[in-house]
Amino acid sequence: MAVTTEQLWNNALTRIQDLSRATLYRNTELEARIAELEGEMAAMKVAYNTTADVDVKRPQLMQLPSLTRQSPVNLVPDPMVLCAIDGDRLLFHPSLIEQGYSGGRQAAQDFTKEIAQELLQQGLTQFDRLSFWVTVFLNKRALINTLREDGVANPEQFESFLLGFGQASPRFMIVDSGPGRDSTEIKIKEYVKTYIRFPQTLRFFFGGVDDTYLTMCDALEKENLVGKLVLMQPPNELSPAMRRMAARSLRFEELFMSEKVTPWMLRRPGPLLGISDSSSGVVTNGGLISPQSESQSSMSTPPPRNSSSEGPRFIDPTKPLHKQNPPPCNEHYLMACSKGINCKYSHDWYLTPEQLDILARNAKKAPCNFLKNGISCPHGDKCCWGHVCPSGARCFHLSKGKCWFKGDGMHPPVVGLQPNELA
């Protein structure tokens, strides 16, 4: 059967389309490689232009902690410079995020040049090639919600920004830590503690530091590894213990947000620790989820999971809070939940200020476990649970001996009433 002219044109167009797609894919690969080489070239240019200055500063480098005694830099094979950023605590500047993909690539290039300059100042210029790795850990869904609520960027802009940053170099990675207030922190701690010990790791740049990482940094200092650590953009409100550390610090101009932004800022205030009174045989945690909830001592097997794999969820407006599946954990949103993974209630709902107010008012209808067991509540007025029965001295259930508020003083008399008026 003869091939028609239309078929020939269709075949030709198909081949052209295939060639075009292959060309675009190859261009993307080449752009990523060019960005990587530009960063390395910038570092080499600065190194060549200021060699004399480095020679003057070299005696100062001897004051760094015992890094060179652990592994002489001139003998280290395949040296690496690693960088970890807690993206929940340290975000790039809004002017870059709002540019989307191009802003991500620009952020990657500017960041690489700043690190190259810092390495030059530390005298690490004697290597033919340094392997530079950047990993950003973040709870992407929670951050998208926060940036949208704050008017910083819409989800499409932030997704495109992350794509541009990650594709700027094969060694630039974005890691979504998933839901949970501590998920990013846990992953970063393990990453830092593991890779900073490698002899190939010459420097470890860490961004997003705050007092949450004090224990980790203290352990590194005891192992004489803090000489490898460089804290990027440390906040001004660091504790004295963190400020006394021997680690170097590095600040950037117009690259990161000046204010700390975290997806958990709108969720609840800082943690309040519970108390376990072993002498009285009463296990308490500052309150209880509901009068029918299990005691902490009975939770030896994991209850239904309290988090979803998709990050924060929105409340079903057709159902009250206590009918959500599972209901939101009062202590997590109003204080601090001490049950951790054993909590049978959800920590993943996104609650509006109005919903938080409803949650707080409902929690006051359940008695504080401390007062209920005759123990002074350590949280005082900050306790989310009820310290007095909402019905007061007129409580109908009190007269039947069935009121949940069983502690002394939990049914104070109403001022102005006579004793014979009390039910």
Side-chain angles (χ1 to χ4, degrees), residues 47-74:
Y48 281 120
N49 292 336
T50 56
T51 301
D53 186 51
V54 171
D55 291 336
V56 173
K57 294 180 179 179
R58 195 173 302 277
Q60 302 174 5
L61 301 174
M62 301 302 294
Q63 300 175 8
L64 288 174
S66 55
L67 171 63
T68 55
R69 293 200 301 270
Q70 299 168 25
S71 54
V73 293
N74 57 339

Side-chain angles (χ1 to χ4, degrees), residues 71-96:
S71 54
V73 293
N74 57 339
L75 299 179
V76 174
D78 303 320
M80 298 187 303
V81 174
L82 304 181
C83 173
I85 299 177
D86 185 334
D88 292 348
R89 292 175 167 86
L90 182 64
L91 281 177
F92 285 94
H93 200 274
S95 62
L96 293 169

